């Protein structure tokens, strides 16, 4: 026991010896990771279809919905990577807003989808959104960190939204399904308007 | 602590003694200059050479050379001279170009009379107000709080090693109240050592400290694997003790952000307080996000299969082991 006390005393004495304290294990520019995380949240183009996608997945039941938690982030990651390899694909913004309308209508109709379709839709939307967010990177951006940030927020958002929608649906009362379907119709309406603006906006310039 | 050690079995006591010996050996390594440590902020020093006239220069140059100081409108900046006239050095300060490569920069002002002043500008708090005597200006104090709370949040969210350790603790502790106690113990411990290191009462050279912090994460990873195999290890049995012990180390790591700023002694206690509040806010936010995600995975039945339950622990341990090797 005396040996333990001696060792403890020695440890504290050494720690107590004043010296400069400088430490941080990973002093990297993680700012771009958070930049990637925040970027999709700066407009409605990303969160709105993600929410609708999560509701659509929840409508399929937890056993199918859970595959979205893998498919969607993988799509985001690959999409972000594609934006580096082949930047400037012109139809992606149009595809993004078309997908908003499409998912919204699917939620409004409470479409039941087979598992491959759920996974495929998650991947496609992930690809489109990953690509679109990846386009925001500049030369000075750390690409890996930024794309990782986009993927992380996409994963966290889709997981939370799917879980919340699932929990909401598992409550008692048939009005819950109606409420979610109604929200889908709103998303569809926003998507259709945004789709139309894609054609109107260039003519105004 | 001695009673705690006495209560341990032979194997655990040997482990604790080994850990203490390793820590002691780490601390015995002499302190070295930290030139290899990338400057965490840019610092511009302004020395008053005449009433309202200053000479400015970078004491810690910015990573991005395009970073430019922005002074109050009545001040004329013709590098390296700054002329603020009769009104003196008062008004809003900022930096142009902050955020892309460096998120924090500081003005250090040395007037002809009175103590030096420090104004920290961050991407989250891009404009600060320079006042003649911050000690009496409530706005200056609010500015100080705003700056250092944001700096604390920024620091913990960028400190992925600290977050990984907290993640390991969350993974390890299953009981809700034990988790609260464990996180609280970690918080108390790193607050104590942060304060002690900031005031210069304790100090540890960078390299062994970094390595030991990495080792603490490896330790938690090993403990998770043991728990998955049905063996209740030291950290699973006494998580709050482990969290407290390693929290002391992590607090020394947090101190980096403050000790490199050169904050005047008069404002240091308040800067420390606000910085620590920021760290706790960031840590709590991280804990809530992780807990929310765990809940969400259970809700959609997206849990790892039995064979894959140890994968996160191996991932945490492997990353930390890599850091340990790099730092050693």
């Amino acid at each position: 026991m005396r040996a333990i006390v001696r060792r403890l005393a020695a440890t504290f004495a050494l720690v107590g010896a004043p010296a400069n304290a400088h430490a941080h294990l990973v002093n990297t520019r993680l700012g771009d990771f958070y930049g990637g995380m925040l970027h999709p949240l700066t407009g409605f183009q990303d969160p709105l279809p993600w929410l609708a996608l999560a509701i659509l997945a929840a409508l399929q039941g937890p056993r199918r919905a859970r595959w979205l938690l893998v498919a969607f982030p993988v799509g985001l990651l690959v999409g972000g990577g594609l934006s580096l390899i082949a930047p400037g694909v012109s139809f992606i913004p149009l595809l993004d807003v078309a997908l908003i309308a499409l998912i919204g209508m699917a939620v409004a109709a409470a479409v039941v989808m087979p598992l491959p379709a759920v996974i495929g839709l998650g991947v496609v939307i992930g690809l489109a959104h990953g690509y679109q967010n990846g386009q925001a990177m500049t030369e000075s951006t750390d690409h890996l960190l930024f794309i990782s940030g986009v993927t992380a927020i996409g994963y966290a958002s889709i997981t939370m939204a799917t879980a919340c929608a699932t929990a909401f649906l598992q409550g008692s009362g048939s009005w819950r399904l109606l409420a979610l379907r109604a929200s889908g119709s709103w998303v569809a309406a926003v998507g259709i308007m945004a789709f139309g603006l894609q054609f109107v906006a260039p003519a105004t310039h | 602590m001695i009673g705690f050690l006495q209560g341990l079995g032979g194997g655990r006591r040997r482990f604790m003694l080994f850990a203490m010996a390793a820590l002691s050996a780490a601390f015995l390594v002499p302190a070295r200059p930290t030139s290899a440590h990338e400057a965490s902020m840019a610092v511009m020093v302004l020395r008053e050479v005449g009433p309202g006239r200053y000479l400015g220069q970078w004491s810690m140059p910015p990573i991005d050379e395009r970073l430019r100081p922005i002074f109050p409108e009545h001040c004329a900046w013709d590098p390296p001279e700054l002329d603020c006239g009769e009104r003196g050095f008062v008004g809003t300060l900022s930096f142009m170009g902050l955020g892309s490569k460096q998120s924090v920069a500081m003005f250090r002002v040395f007037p002809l009379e009175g103590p030096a002043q420090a104004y920290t500008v961050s991407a989250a708090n891009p404009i600060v107000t320079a006042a003649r005597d911050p000690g009496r200006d409530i706005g200056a104090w609010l500015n100080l709080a705003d700056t250092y709370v944001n700096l604390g949040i920024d620091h913990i969210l960028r400190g992925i090693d600290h977050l990984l350790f907290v993640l390991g603790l969350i993974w390890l502790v299953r009981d809700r109240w034990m988790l609260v106690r464990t996180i609280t113990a970690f918080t108390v411990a790193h607050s104590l050592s942060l304060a002690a290191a900031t005031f210069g009462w304790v100090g540890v050279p960078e390299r062994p400290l970094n390595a030991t912090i990495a080792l603490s994460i490896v330790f938690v990873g090993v403990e998770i694997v043991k728990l998955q195999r049905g063996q209740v290890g030291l950290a699973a049995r006494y998580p709050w003790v482990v969290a407290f012990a390693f929290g002391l180390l992590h607090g020394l790591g947090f101190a980096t952000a403050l000790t490199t700023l050169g904050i005047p002694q008069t404002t240091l206690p308040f800067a420390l307080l606000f910085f620590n509040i920021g760290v706790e806010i960031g840590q709590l936010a991280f804990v809530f996000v992780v807990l929310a995600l765990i809940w969400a995975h259970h809700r959609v039945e997206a849990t790892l299969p039995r064979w894959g339950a140890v994968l996160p622990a191996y991932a945490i341990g492997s990353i930390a082991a890599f850091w340990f090797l790099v730092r050693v």
Side-chain angles (χ1 to χ4, degrees):
Chain A
M1 184 47 58
R2 283 181 182 169
I4 293 172
V5 174
R6 274 202 299 274
R7 285 188 180 100
L8 278 174
T11 304
F12 283 116
L14 284 162
V15 173
N20 288 333
H22 297 291
H24 209 304
L25 193 57
V26 184
N27 191 9
T28 55
R29 289 171 46 213
L30 277 178
D32 285 332
F33 177 81
Y34 292 106
M37 282 186 82
L38 289 175
H39 189 263
L41 306 180
T42 52
F44 76 92
Q45 294 94 333
D46 290 299
L48 194 64
W50 293 2
L51 180 65
L53 182 64
I55 294 171
L56 185 62
L59 290 172
Q60 316 305 315
R63 289 196 167 272
R64 285 183 194 165
R66 63 184 178 183
W67 287 96
L68 192 65
L69 276 53
V70 178
F72 182 67
V74 167
L76 283 174
L77 193 65
V78 175
L82 286 175
S83 73
L84 293 171
I85 298 166
V89 177
S90 57
F91 68 86
I92 296 291
L94 200 63
L95 177 66
D96 272 347
V97 288
L99 284 170
I100 297 176
L102 184 73
I103 309 163
M105 284 190 276
V107 171
V111 172
V112 177
M113 302 163 72
L115 180 60
V118 175
I119 295 172
L121 191 62
V123 169
V124 168
I125 293 173
L127 281 170
H129 285 236
Y131 186 90
Q132 192 64 9
N133 279 287
Q135 293 284 74
M137 290 187 287
T138 62
E139 280 185 11
S140 63
T141 308
D142 187 315
H143 298 152
L144 183 63
L145 284 178
F146 188 90
I147 294 170
S148 301
V150 172
T151 306
I153 192 67
Y155 160 74
S157 302
I158 213 78
T159 304
M160 287 305 301
T162 306
C164 288
T166 302
F168 184 74
L169 275 173
Q170 286 171 346
S172 60
S174 57
W175 63 271
R176 292 169 185 270
L177 178 60
L178 285 175
L180 287 184
R181 291 180 67 176
S183 70
S185 67
W186 288 12
V187 173
V190 171
I192 290 166
M193 278 194 292
F195 189 77
L197 285 171
Q198 290 287 316
F199 296 99
V200 174
T204 58
H205 292 293
Chain B
M1 177 60 84
I2 292 166
F4 164 71
L5 283 170
Q6 280 178 320
L8 295 176
R12 291 200 189 94
R13 192 181 301 138
R14 274 196 298 278
F15 174 82
M16 285 299 286
L17 292 175
F18 171 76
M20 278 186 236
L23 282 173
S24 304
F27 293 139
L28 277 170
V29 178
R32 298 189 306 170
T34 55
S35 55
H37 195 67
E38 185 186 333
S40 58
M41 68 156 24
V43 179
M44 169 165 274
V45 172
L46 294 158
R47 293 184 188 279
E48 191 170 20
V49 291
R53 287 175 45 242
Y54 296 81
L55 280 179
Q57 64 177 45
W58 295 106
S59 66
M60 287 172 71
I63 297 169
D64 188 347
E65 290 177 356
R66 291 171 296 178
L67 192 74
R68 293 280 179 272
I70 302 173
F71 295 106
E73 283 185 8
H74 66 276
C75 297
W77 172 234
D78 183 14
E81 293 178 19
L82 178 73
D83 190 351
C84 293
E86 289 181 357
R87 288 175 65 183
F89 192 73
V90 291
T92 56
L93 303 169
S94 188
F95 280 97
M96 185 184 288
L98 207 60
S100 60
K101 289 188 176 178
Q102 207 151 24
S103 61
V104 186
M106 175 191 259
F107 292 100
R108 294 205 69 194
V109 186
F110 293 88
L112 285 172
E113 294 177 2
Q117 311 292 345
Y119 303 98
T120 309
V121 181
S122 64
N125 183 36
I127 298 172
V128 296
T129 307
R132 284 185 192 280
D133 186 357
R136 294 170 192 164
D137 186 344
I138 193 136
W141 284 113
L142 288 174
N143 212 347
L144 186 80
D146 189 28
T147 300
Y148 286 98
V149 166
N150 278 309
L151 189 62
I153 295 172
D154 188 76
H155 189 72
I156 181 78
L157 293 183
R158 286 165 189 262
I160 192 164
D161 46 346
H162 306 301
L163 295 181
L164 207 56
F165 183 78
V166 173
L167 179 67
L169 289 179
I170 295 171
W171 210 273
L172 187 68
V173 182
R174 305 291 166 86
D175 181 77
R176 192 179 302 168
W177 285 112
M178 184 55 85
L179 180 63
V180 171
R181 267 185 275 176
T182 303
I183 297 294
T184 305
F186 182 66
T187 302
V188 170
H190 72 60
S191 299
L192 288 173
S193 56
L194 167 63
T198 307
F199 286 117
W201 300 332
V202 294
V204 181
E206 181 187 3
R207 188 170 284 201
L209 177 59
N210 280 342
T212 317
I213 287 174
L215 208 55
S216 72
I217 306 166
V218 175
F219 173 77
V220 170
V222 171
E223 289 289 297
I224 297 170
V225 173
K226 284 170 72 176
L227 191 64
Q228 299 282 358
R229 290 177 179 167
Q231 303 166 8
V232 182
L234 182 72
R237 197 182 295 269
Y238 306 105
W240 65 272
V241 175
V242 170
F244 187 88
F246 287 128
L248 291 171
L249 284 173
H250 285 250
L252 296 175
F254 292 144
T256 314
L258 284 181
T259 52
T260 54
L261 297 188
I263 303 165
Q265 287 296 317
T266 50
T267 54
L268 189 58
F270 296 98
L272 170 67
L273 173 70
F274 295 132
F275 177 81
N276 203 20
I277 290 170
V279 167
E280 302 322 327
I281 290 171
Q283 183 179 291
L284 273 178
F286 178 75
V287 169
F288 281 126
V289 166
V290 172
L291 291 178
L293 284 173
I294 290 171
W295 169 84
H297 280 86
H298 283 294
R299 182 55 82 166
V300 294
E301 301 171 23
T303 49
L304 287 168
R306 196 173 182 81
W307 58 267
V310 290
L311 288 179
Y314 276 115
I316 291 171
S318 302
I319 294 167
F322 172 73
W323 287 338
F324 175 72
L325 291 173
V326 167
R327 287 292 163 172
V328 166

